[in-house]
Amino acid sequence: MDLYEHQARQLFEEHGILVPRAEVTDSPGRAGDIARRLGGRAVVKAQVRTGGRGKAGGVRLAEDPEAAERAAREILGMTIKGHPVRSVMLARPVDIEAEFYVSYVLDRAAGRFLAIASTEGGTEIEEVAAARPEAVTRVPVDPAEGVTPQKAAEIARAAGLPPRAADVLVRLWQVLVREDALLVEVNPLVRTAQGQLTALDGKVTLDDNARYRQARWDRKEETAHDDPLEAAAAAKGLNYVKLDGEVGVIGNGAGLVMSTLDVVAGSGARPANFLDIGGGASARIMSDGLSVVLSDPGVRSVLVNVFGGITACDAVADGIVRALDAVRPTKPIVVRLDGNNAARGRAVLGDRAHPLVHQAPTMDAAARLAARLAHTN
Protein backbone atom coordinates (compact mmCIF):
# COMPACT_ATOMS: atom_id res chain seq x y z
CA MET A 1 0.00 0.00 0.00
CA ASP A 2 1.47 3.33 -1.09
CA LEU A 3 1.04 6.29 1.25
CA TYR A 4 0.49 9.86 0.19
CA GLU A 5 3.37 12.27 0.66
CA HIS A 6 1.77 13.93 3.67
CA GLN A 7 1.40 10.51 5.33
CA ALA A 8 5.02 9.62 4.58
CA ARG A 9 6.26 12.88 6.07
CA GLN A 10 4.14 12.19 9.16
CA LEU A 11 6.07 8.94 9.65
CA PHE A 12 9.39 10.72 9.09
CA GLU A 13 8.50 13.34 11.68
CA GLU A 14 7.43 10.68 14.19
CA HIS A 15 10.86 9.04 13.82
CA GLY A 16 12.84 12.24 14.29
CA ILE A 17 13.53 13.20 10.66
CA LEU A 18 13.15 16.93 10.06
CA VAL A 19 10.36 17.96 7.67
CA PRO A 20 9.01 21.42 6.80
CA ARG A 21 5.87 22.53 8.57
CA ALA A 22 2.86 21.64 6.39
CA GLU A 23 -0.90 21.15 6.30
CA VAL A 24 -3.30 19.32 3.93
CA THR A 25 -6.62 20.50 2.50
CA ASP A 26 -9.13 19.82 -0.26
CA SER A 27 -10.36 23.43 -0.35
CA PRO A 28 -8.78 26.36 -2.24
CA GLY A 29 -10.11 28.77 0.37
CA ARG A 30 -8.54 26.87 3.24
CA ALA A 31 -5.30 26.72 1.24
CA GLY A 32 -5.07 30.50 1.54
CA ASP A 33 -5.66 30.29 5.29
CA ILE A 34 -2.94 27.63 5.63
CA ALA A 35 -0.49 29.80 3.71
CA ARG A 36 -1.12 32.64 6.15
CA ARG A 37 -0.38 30.33 9.07
CA LEU A 38 2.82 29.24 7.35
CA GLY A 39 4.01 32.82 7.02
CA GLY A 40 2.55 33.79 3.63
CA ARG A 41 4.74 31.92 1.13
CA ALA A 42 4.00 28.22 0.58
CA VAL A 43 4.77 25.32 -1.73
CA VAL A 44 1.48 23.85 -2.98
CA LYS A 45 1.82 20.14 -3.81
CA ALA A 46 -0.71 17.74 -5.34
CA GLN A 47 -1.28 14.65 -3.18
CA VAL A 48 -1.27 11.63 -5.48
CA ARG A 49 0.40 8.23 -5.27
CA THR A 50 2.69 8.72 -8.28
CA GLY A 51 5.79 10.62 -9.33
CA GLY A 52 6.20 13.33 -11.91
CA ARG A 53 4.00 15.86 -10.11
CA GLY A 54 6.33 18.76 -10.80
CA LYS A 55 6.49 18.12 -14.54
CA ALA A 56 2.69 17.90 -14.63
CA GLY A 57 2.26 21.25 -12.89
CA GLY A 58 1.23 19.71 -9.59
CA VAL A 59 3.90 21.47 -7.50
CA ARG A 60 3.95 25.27 -7.36
CA LEU A 61 5.54 27.98 -5.22
CA ALA A 62 3.00 30.56 -4.05
CA GLU A 63 4.41 33.93 -2.95
CA ASP A 64 1.37 34.91 -0.88
CA PRO A 65 -1.93 33.45 0.42
CA GLU A 66 -3.87 34.66 -2.61
CA ALA A 67 -1.44 32.90 -4.95
CA ALA A 68 -1.69 29.76 -2.79
CA GLU A 69 -5.46 29.79 -3.15
CA ARG A 70 -5.19 30.17 -6.93
CA ALA A 71 -2.63 27.38 -7.17
CA ALA A 72 -4.76 25.04 -5.08
CA ARG A 73 -7.82 25.78 -7.22
CA GLU A 74 -5.87 24.94 -10.39
CA ILE A 75 -4.22 21.80 -9.00
CA LEU A 76 -7.30 20.29 -7.35
CA GLY A 77 -9.14 18.24 -9.97
CA MET A 78 -6.03 17.71 -12.11
CA THR A 79 -5.21 14.18 -13.24
CA ILE A 80 -1.55 13.17 -13.00
CA LYS A 81 -0.64 9.90 -14.71
CA GLY A 82 -4.20 8.69 -14.27
CA HIS A 83 -4.40 9.77 -10.61
CA PRO A 84 -7.02 12.43 -9.78
CA VAL A 85 -5.86 15.14 -7.36
CA ARG A 86 -8.31 15.33 -4.46
CA SER A 87 -6.13 17.17 -1.93
CA VAL A 88 -3.08 19.41 -1.76
CA MET A 89 -0.38 19.86 0.85
CA LEU A 90 0.98 23.30 1.58
CA ALA A 91 4.50 23.35 3.03
CA ARG A 92 6.70 26.15 4.30
CA PRO A 93 9.53 26.81 1.78
CA VAL A 94 13.15 26.28 2.82
CA ASP A 95 16.39 27.74 1.49
CA ILE A 96 18.15 24.83 -0.26
CA GLU A 97 21.92 24.56 -0.32
CA ALA A 98 22.24 20.96 -1.64
CA GLU A 99 19.92 18.08 -2.63
CA PHE A 100 20.42 14.34 -2.05
CA TYR A 101 18.52 11.09 -2.61
CA VAL A 102 18.23 8.25 -0.05
CA SER A 103 16.00 5.16 0.06
CA TYR A 104 15.68 1.57 1.19
CA VAL A 105 13.91 -0.95 -1.04
CA LEU A 106 13.22 -4.66 -0.63
CA ASP A 107 15.19 -6.94 -2.96
CA ARG A 108 13.00 -10.05 -2.89
CA ALA A 109 15.24 -12.22 -5.05
CA ALA A 110 18.29 -11.61 -2.85
CA GLY A 111 16.33 -11.80 0.42
CA ARG A 112 17.66 -8.47 1.64
CA PHE A 113 17.21 -4.72 1.33
CA LEU A 114 19.12 -2.26 -0.82
CA ALA A 115 20.19 1.16 0.37
CA ILE A 116 20.18 3.50 -2.63
CA ALA A 117 21.74 6.95 -2.34
CA SER A 118 22.93 9.78 -4.56
CA THR A 119 24.21 13.32 -4.31
CA GLU A 120 21.92 14.19 -7.23
CA GLY A 121 18.53 14.41 -5.54
CA GLY A 122 15.48 16.30 -6.70
CA THR A 123 14.89 14.30 -9.90
CA GLU A 124 13.61 10.79 -10.51
CA ILE A 125 16.34 8.31 -9.58
CA GLU A 126 15.77 6.35 -12.81
CA GLU A 127 16.72 9.44 -14.82
CA VAL A 128 19.87 9.95 -12.75
CA ALA A 129 20.84 6.28 -13.09
CA ALA A 130 20.31 6.39 -16.86
CA ALA A 131 22.29 9.58 -17.43
CA ARG A 132 24.98 9.06 -14.77
CA PRO A 133 24.96 5.51 -13.38
CA GLU A 134 28.10 6.20 -11.36
CA ALA A 135 26.13 8.84 -9.42
CA VAL A 136 23.83 6.23 -7.84
CA THR A 137 25.22 4.07 -5.03
CA ARG A 138 23.63 0.75 -4.04
CA VAL A 139 24.62 -0.91 -0.76
CA PRO A 140 23.11 -4.27 0.34
CA VAL A 141 21.56 -4.34 3.81
CA ASP A 142 21.17 -7.59 5.76
CA PRO A 143 17.72 -7.33 7.42
CA ALA A 144 18.97 -9.35 10.39
CA GLU A 145 21.71 -6.79 11.06
CA GLY A 146 19.84 -3.69 9.95
CA VAL A 147 21.30 -0.23 9.61
CA THR A 148 23.49 0.55 12.59
CA PRO A 149 25.29 3.89 12.92
CA GLN A 150 28.36 2.18 11.48
CA LYS A 151 26.41 0.82 8.49
CA ALA A 152 24.77 4.21 7.95
CA ALA A 153 28.19 5.90 7.93
CA GLU A 154 29.36 3.33 5.36
CA ILE A 155 26.39 4.13 3.08
CA ALA A 156 26.92 7.89 3.47
CA ARG A 157 30.62 7.62 2.63
CA ALA A 158 30.01 5.39 -0.38
CA ALA A 159 27.46 7.84 -1.81
CA GLY A 160 29.35 11.01 -0.94
CA LEU A 161 26.63 12.24 1.41
CA PRO A 162 27.42 14.57 4.33
CA PRO A 163 28.52 12.62 7.43
CA ARG A 164 25.45 13.89 9.30
CA ALA A 165 23.26 12.04 6.79
CA ALA A 166 24.14 8.84 8.67
CA ASP A 167 21.68 9.83 11.40
CA VAL A 168 18.92 10.28 8.81
CA LEU A 169 19.77 6.86 7.31
CA VAL A 170 19.43 5.20 10.73
CA ARG A 171 16.08 6.91 11.36
CA LEU A 172 14.84 6.07 7.87
CA TRP A 173 15.65 2.41 8.55
CA GLN A 174 13.61 2.67 11.76
CA VAL A 175 10.68 3.90 9.68
CA LEU A 176 11.00 0.87 7.40
CA VAL A 177 11.20 -1.67 10.24
CA ARG A 178 8.68 -0.22 12.70
CA GLU A 179 6.11 0.64 10.03
CA ASP A 180 6.46 -2.67 8.09
CA ALA A 181 7.49 -0.90 4.88
CA LEU A 182 8.81 -2.37 1.65
CA LEU A 183 10.09 0.98 0.40
CA VAL A 184 11.03 4.25 2.09
CA GLU A 185 12.38 7.11 0.00
CA VAL A 186 13.38 10.72 0.60
CA ASN A 187 13.82 12.74 -2.58
CA PRO A 188 15.11 15.24 -2.04
CA LEU A 189 16.83 15.20 1.31
CA VAL A 190 18.18 18.74 1.43
CA ARG A 191 20.81 20.64 3.35
CA THR A 192 19.31 24.03 4.11
CA ALA A 193 21.13 27.33 4.27
CA GLN A 194 20.99 26.91 8.05
CA GLY A 195 22.83 23.58 7.76
CA GLN A 196 19.90 21.32 8.64
CA LEU A 197 19.15 18.06 6.79
CA THR A 198 15.45 18.14 5.94
CA ALA A 199 13.17 15.73 4.05
CA LEU A 200 11.33 17.80 1.44
CA ASP A 201 9.49 14.88 -0.18
CA GLY A 202 8.96 11.25 0.69
CA LYS A 203 7.47 7.99 -0.47
CA VAL A 204 6.55 4.99 1.67
CA THR A 205 5.12 1.66 0.53
CA LEU A 206 3.76 -0.53 3.34
CA ASP A 207 3.59 -4.33 3.33
CA ASP A 208 -0.05 -5.37 2.94
CA ASN A 209 0.72 -8.58 4.84
CA ALA A 210 1.37 -6.48 7.97
CA ARG A 211 -1.78 -4.37 7.85
CA TYR A 212 -3.06 -6.05 11.01
CA ARG A 213 -0.14 -4.34 12.78
CA GLN A 214 -0.67 -0.99 11.05
CA ALA A 215 -4.35 -0.42 11.71
CA ARG A 216 -4.20 3.37 11.41
CA TRP A 217 -3.75 3.08 7.63
CA ASP A 218 -6.42 0.38 7.20
CA ARG A 219 -9.20 2.72 6.09
CA LYS A 220 -10.96 2.79 2.75
CA GLU A 221 -9.87 6.32 1.90
CA GLU A 222 -6.25 5.45 2.64
CA THR A 223 -6.10 2.09 0.85
CA ALA A 224 -8.00 2.94 -2.33
CA HIS A 225 -5.99 2.91 -5.55
CA ASP A 226 -6.49 5.90 -7.82
CA ASP A 227 -5.11 4.09 -10.86
CA PRO A 228 -7.29 1.19 -12.14
CA LEU A 229 -4.23 -0.85 -13.19
CA GLU A 230 -2.71 -0.50 -9.72
CA ALA A 231 -6.07 -1.55 -8.25
CA ALA A 232 -6.21 -4.59 -10.54
CA ALA A 233 -2.65 -5.52 -9.63
CA ALA A 234 -3.33 -5.12 -5.91
CA ALA A 235 -6.37 -7.39 -6.20
CA LYS A 236 -4.04 -10.07 -7.61
CA GLY A 237 -1.46 -9.51 -4.88
CA LEU A 238 1.12 -7.98 -7.23
CA ASN A 239 3.70 -5.32 -6.35
CA TYR A 240 2.96 -2.93 -9.24
CA VAL A 241 3.62 0.79 -9.71
CA LYS A 242 2.40 2.66 -12.79
CA LEU A 243 5.01 4.82 -14.54
CA ASP A 244 4.84 7.09 -17.58
CA GLY A 245 6.53 5.11 -20.35
CA GLU A 246 6.08 2.66 -23.21
CA VAL A 247 8.04 -0.47 -22.15
CA GLY A 248 6.29 -2.67 -19.61
CA VAL A 249 8.75 -4.23 -17.16
CA ILE A 250 8.34 -7.48 -15.19
CA GLY A 251 11.06 -9.01 -13.03
CA ASN A 252 11.60 -11.06 -9.92
CA GLY A 253 13.12 -9.02 -7.10
CA ALA A 254 13.06 -5.28 -6.52
CA GLY A 255 16.79 -4.92 -7.16
CA LEU A 256 16.57 -6.69 -10.51
CA VAL A 257 13.48 -4.71 -11.52
CA MET A 258 15.12 -1.39 -10.62
CA SER A 259 18.22 -2.37 -12.61
CA THR A 260 15.96 -3.29 -15.53
CA LEU A 261 14.28 0.13 -15.39
CA ASP A 262 17.73 1.73 -15.57
CA VAL A 263 18.79 -0.40 -18.55
CA VAL A 264 15.55 0.30 -20.42
CA ALA A 265 16.05 4.04 -19.89
CA GLY A 266 19.64 3.69 -21.05
CA SER A 267 18.41 2.00 -24.22
CA GLY A 268 16.42 5.06 -25.23
CA ALA A 269 12.96 4.08 -23.94
CA ARG A 270 10.88 4.84 -20.86
CA PRO A 271 9.65 2.17 -18.43
CA ALA A 272 5.86 1.99 -18.23
CA ASN A 273 5.73 0.34 -14.82
CA PHE A 274 7.53 -1.36 -11.95
CA LEU A 275 6.28 -4.94 -11.44
CA ASP A 276 8.06 -7.31 -9.06
CA ILE A 277 6.59 -10.84 -9.24
CA GLY A 278 8.60 -11.85 -6.18
CA GLY A 279 11.17 -14.49 -5.34
CA GLY A 280 8.81 -17.45 -5.45
CA ALA A 281 6.45 -16.47 -8.24
CA SER A 282 4.29 -19.22 -9.65
CA ALA A 283 3.07 -19.61 -13.21
CA ARG A 284 -0.25 -18.08 -12.13
CA ILE A 285 1.48 -14.97 -10.74
CA MET A 286 3.49 -14.61 -13.94
CA SER A 287 0.31 -14.89 -15.98
CA ASP A 288 -1.48 -12.35 -13.76
CA GLY A 289 1.43 -9.92 -14.01
CA LEU A 290 1.63 -10.10 -17.78
CA SER A 291 -2.11 -9.64 -18.01
CA VAL A 292 -1.96 -6.42 -15.95
CA VAL A 293 0.98 -4.96 -17.87
CA LEU A 294 -0.57 -5.73 -21.26
CA SER A 295 -3.76 -3.99 -20.13
CA ASP A 296 -1.94 -0.65 -20.05
CA PRO A 297 -2.80 1.17 -23.31
CA GLY A 298 0.48 3.08 -23.09
CA VAL A 299 2.58 -0.09 -23.24
CA ARG A 300 4.05 -0.75 -26.70
CA SER A 301 6.33 -3.63 -25.75
CA VAL A 302 6.98 -5.75 -22.65
CA LEU A 303 10.29 -6.86 -21.16
CA VAL A 304 10.25 -9.90 -18.86
CA ASN A 305 13.59 -10.17 -17.07
CA VAL A 306 13.90 -13.15 -14.71
CA PHE A 307 16.88 -14.61 -12.93
CA GLY A 308 15.79 -18.03 -11.69
CA GLY A 309 16.50 -18.82 -8.07
CA ILE A 310 13.51 -19.73 -5.98
CA THR A 311 11.55 -18.85 -9.10
CA ALA A 312 12.26 -21.57 -11.68
CA CYS A 313 12.49 -20.21 -15.22
CA ASP A 314 10.36 -23.02 -16.66
CA ALA A 315 7.52 -21.97 -14.32
CA VAL A 316 7.88 -18.39 -15.56
CA ALA A 317 7.81 -19.60 -19.17
CA ASP A 318 4.72 -21.68 -18.43
CA GLY A 319 3.06 -18.57 -16.99
CA ILE A 320 3.88 -16.60 -20.11
CA VAL A 321 2.38 -19.33 -22.29
CA ARG A 322 -0.78 -19.34 -20.16
CA ALA A 323 -1.03 -15.56 -20.46
CA LEU A 324 -0.64 -15.75 -24.25
CA ASP A 325 -3.65 -18.06 -24.42
CA ALA A 326 -5.72 -16.00 -21.97
CA VAL A 327 -4.86 -12.42 -22.98
CA ARG A 328 -4.15 -12.81 -26.71
CA PRO A 329 -1.57 -9.99 -26.81
CA THR A 330 -1.12 -7.59 -29.69
CA LYS A 331 2.16 -6.15 -28.38
CA PRO A 332 5.63 -7.73 -28.59
CA ILE A 333 7.08 -9.43 -25.52
CA VAL A 334 10.83 -9.77 -24.98
CA VAL A 335 11.92 -12.45 -22.51
CA ARG A 336 15.30 -12.92 -20.86
CA LEU A 337 15.61 -16.03 -18.69
CA ASP A 338 18.71 -16.98 -16.74
CA GLY A 339 19.47 -19.16 -13.74
CA ASN A 340 17.41 -22.05 -12.37
CA ASN A 341 15.91 -24.15 -15.22
CA ALA A 342 16.64 -21.38 -17.75
CA ALA A 343 17.32 -23.80 -20.64
CA ARG A 344 14.05 -25.61 -19.97
CA GLY A 345 12.18 -22.30 -19.81
CA ARG A 346 13.64 -21.16 -23.11
CA ALA A 347 12.59 -24.47 -24.65
CA VAL A 348 9.01 -24.01 -23.40
CA LEU A 349 8.83 -20.63 -25.13
CA GLY A 350 10.55 -21.99 -28.23
CA ASP A 351 8.06 -24.82 -28.52
CA ARG A 352 5.17 -22.35 -28.22
CA ALA A 353 6.74 -20.25 -31.02
CA HIS A 354 4.40 -17.30 -30.57
CA PRO A 355 5.15 -14.65 -33.22
CA LEU A 356 5.08 -11.81 -30.66
CA VAL A 357 7.45 -13.45 -28.16
CA HIS A 358 11.16 -12.77 -28.62
CA GLN A 359 13.97 -14.18 -26.50
CA ALA A 360 17.25 -12.44 -25.67
CA PRO A 361 20.37 -13.85 -23.99
CA THR A 362 21.22 -10.89 -21.73
CA MET A 363 19.46 -8.07 -19.91
CA ASP A 364 21.15 -5.42 -22.06
CA ALA A 365 20.20 -7.18 -25.28
CA ALA A 366 16.63 -7.67 -24.06
CA ALA A 367 16.30 -3.98 -23.13
CA ARG A 368 17.63 -2.82 -26.49
CA LEU A 369 15.22 -5.11 -28.34
CA ALA A 370 12.25 -4.05 -26.19
CA ALA A 371 13.09 -0.37 -26.77
CA ARG A 372 13.40 -0.89 -30.53
CA LEU A 373 10.11 -2.78 -30.69
CA ALA A 374 8.37 -0.10 -28.64
CA HIS A 375 9.48 2.55 -31.10
CA THR A 376 8.45 0.56 -34.17
CA ASN A 377 5.26 -1.07 -32.86
Side-chain angles (χ1 to χ4, degrees):
M1 177 177 65
D2 292 330
L3 299 185
Y4 289 104
E5 178 196 1
H6 67 89
Q7 296 167 330
R9 72 181 301 281
Q10 176 184 335
L11 293 182
F12 296 162
E13 189 172 26
E14 290 173 1
H15 289 82
I17 299 172
L18 287 177
V19 295
R21 183 181 166 193
E23 296 182 41
V24 179
T25 184
D26 60 1
S27 163
R30 286 195 291 273
D33 295 337
I34 292 171
R36 291 184 183 90
R37 288 196 291 272
L38 294 176
R41 298 176 73 238
V43 181
V44 186
K45 308 177 77 175
Q47 295 301 282
V48 286
R49 298 183 179 101
T50 188
R53 293 175 300 170
K55 294 178 181 178
V59 179
R60 306 183 191 181
L61 175 62
E63 294 294 342
D64 53 50
E66 291 72 24
E69 182 174 338
R70 288 195 300 272
R73 180 171 290 106
E74 293 170 1
I75 293 173
L76 289 167
M78 289 177 62
T79 298
I80 300 176
K81 295 183 181 178
H83 296 251
V85 180
R86 299 190 177 97
S87 64
V88 294
M89 183 180 78
L90 287 86
R92 176 177 288 170
V94 301
D95 295 325
I96 299 173
E97 189 176 85
E99 295 182 296
F100 314 105
Y101 173 96
V102 294
S103 72
Y104 297 113
V105 62
L106 176 63
D107 185 343
R108 295 178 187 271
R112 64 190 182 192
F113 283 87
L114 280 176
I116 303 175
S118 175
T119 56
E120 300 188 16
T123 58
E124 294 185 20
I125 196 65
E126 294 86 0
E127 295 179 3
V128 177
R132 290 172 40 81
E134 71 279 3
V136 180
T137 298
R138 295 176 174 86
V139 179
V141 176
D142 184 339
E145 296 178 3
V147 178
T148 63
Q150 294 75 22
K151 184 70 173 181
E154 174 194 335
I155 297 167
R157 283 195 303 271
L161 303 180
R164 285 180 297 132
D167 180 66
V168 176
L169 289 166
V170 170
R171 295 177 185 276
L172 198 64
W173 178 258
Q174 292 171 353
V175 173
L176 183 139
V177 173
R178 296 175 185 174
E179 306 298 334
D180 293 305
L182 301 174
L183 165 72
V184 291
E185 175 187 89
V186 179
N187 187 26
L189 173 71
V190 304
R191 183 174 61 225
T192 68
Q194 294 73 36
Q196 295 178 314
L197 291 179
T198 303
L200 286 199
D201 198 351
K203 181 176 180 180
V204 174
T205 300
L206 303 181
D207 186 350
D208 285 341
N209 295 311
R211 277 165 57 177
Y212 69 96
R213 288 200 301 240
Q214 305 294 341
R216 63 173 162 168
W217 306 120
D218 196 17
R219 300 193 298 271
K220 182 178 180 181
E221 65 270 25
E222 307 295 0
T223 58
H225 290 267
D226 294 327
D227 185 87
L229 286 175
E230 291 186 353
K236 297 176 182 293
L238 298 172
N239 185 18
Y240 172 93
V241 179
K242 178 82 167 65
L243 302 174
D244 188 21
E246 59 277 347
V247 177
V249 175
I250 302 175
N252 62 321
L256 179 61
V257 177
M258 289 194 67
S259 297
T260 307
L261 299 182
D262 294 344
V263 175
V264 167
S267 299
R270 298 174 302 161
N273 65 272
F274 172 107
L275 177 53
D276 175 11
I277 61 174
S282 64
R284 179 189 60 79
I285 292 176
M286 183 65 241
S287 178
D288 286 346
L290 198 53
S291 175
V292 169
V293 172
L294 288 168
S295 298
D296 183 348
V299 167
R300 302 180 69 179
S301 71
V302 179
L303 171 54
V304 179
N305 186 22
V306 170
F307 186 85
I310 298 173
T311 305
C313 290
D314 56 337
V316 171
D318 184 52
I320 294 173
V321 169
R322 292 190 194 183
L324 295 173
D325 294 334
V327 180
R328 300 188 182 281
T330 58
K331 303 163 186 176
I333 301 167
V334 180
V335 183
R336 177 257 185 170
L337 300 176
D338 199 2
N340 183 15
N341 284 353
R344 192 180 303 170
R346 297 186 197 110
V348 169
L349 294 178
D351 291 343
R352 180 63 174 79
H354 193 286
L356 288 176
V357 175
H358 309 264
Q359 298 195 58
T362 66
M363 179 167 66
D364 287 342
R368 288 194 297 269
L369 178 56
R372 180 169 61 81
L373 292 170
H375 291 149
T376 58
N377 181 35

